[in-house]
Amino acid sequence: MNNGLTAARRAPRIETKHNTRWLTLCGLFMAINIGLSSFGLPVPGGHLYLNDIVIVAAALILDPLGAFLVGGVGAFLGDFFFYPLPMFVSLATHGIQAMAISHLVHNYQGEHKMRRVIFAVLVGAVIMVVGYSLGRAYVYSTPAYAWIKLPYEILQALFGVICGPFLVWKWKLDDLARRMIDGDY
């Protein structure tokens, strides 16, 4: 059955071992996400949170399930402990963001991996900005509040788009994580 993609364009699936090391790595990224959710940089109308950096980095390293755990569940728990009103918005938005980035990076083979990464993190940024804008309009019952926060949501997404991939490739976190999961470290 042909699903529209030729074999040359479709990359072989990356089979991730969901073992104790994988779970530990997910837990570590989740703890960093929760820690970064505990404080924010003050901006007019609220705070700018830096947890998008770890969400994007984890999504580039882990499979979609691990990315959802780090992005969605980690952001949910961070909001649960520190600011519970938008915790379900965070679960859905950051979870879908992380899964989309991970899926786009790991499941499709292209000529240039960097183009695939840039495309994936930009798609993730759009998901985050749109998801939080719609979520704020629903949770706070006013679209005006969502419009006020929109520039800061875009800035937060840009922090993740720029810093997440930079950290992964500067410190070679993807190779290190793969070796840890496989037991070669």
Side-chain angles (χ1 to χ4, degrees):
M1 180 186 329
N2 187 356
N3 62 359
L5 294 175
T6 62
R9 290 185 56 209
R10 181 86 171 153
R13 292 193 160 264
I14 296 173
E15 296 297 326
T16 303
K17 297 178 184 178
H18 290 171
N19 56 21
T20 306
R21 291 182 205 101
W22 175 85
L23 188 61
T24 303
L25 192 60
C26 290
L28 175 68
F29 278 123
M30 196 181 306
I32 295 170
N33 188 4
I34 293 168
L36 289 175
S37 297
S38 68
F39 68 92
L41 304 173
V43 295
H47 291 86
L48 176 72
Y49 295 97
L50 301 177
N51 61 337
D52 265 54
I53 296 169
V54 73
I55 292 169
V56 170
L60 292 173
I61 294 169
L62 298 169
D63 64 319
L65 176 61
F68 179 81
L69 289 174
V70 173
V73 177
F76 175 85
L77 290 173
D79 284 349
F80 175 77
F81 293 133
F82 303 110
Y83 188 62
L85 194 57
M87 64 187 182
F88 290 104
V89 173
S90 295
L91 174 69
T93 301
H94 283 305
I96 294 169
Q97 171 196 14
M99 286 177 61
I101 293 171
S102 180
H103 179 74
L104 289 172
V105 167
H106 295 297
N107 288 336
Y108 293 100
Q109 178 179 340
E111 294 176 14
H112 301 287
K113 184 174 182 177
M114 191 52 96
R115 286 184 187 167
R116 202 170 58 228
V117 168
I118 291 169
F119 176 71
V121 296
L122 288 175
V123 166
V126 169
I127 290 170
M128 196 281 283
V129 170
V130 170
Y132 263 104
S133 296
L134 293 174
R136 285 188 197 287
Y138 176 75
V139 169
Y140 297 110
S141 299
T142 174
Y145 185 73
W147 279 107
I148 291 170
K149 293 290 287 181
L150 184 63
Y152 305 110
E153 294 297 337
I154 294 170
L155 185 61
Q156 179 176 333
L158 287 177
F159 268 108
V161 164
I162 294 167
C163 297
F166 176 76
L167 291 177
V168 169
W169 277 279
K170 176 69 176 170
W171 292 337
K172 297 180 177 30
L173 295 179
D174 52 344
D175 295 332
L176 181 64
R178 183 68 41 219
R179 287 194 338 239
M180 287 174 61
I181 291 170
D182 292 339
D184 297 334
Y185 187 72

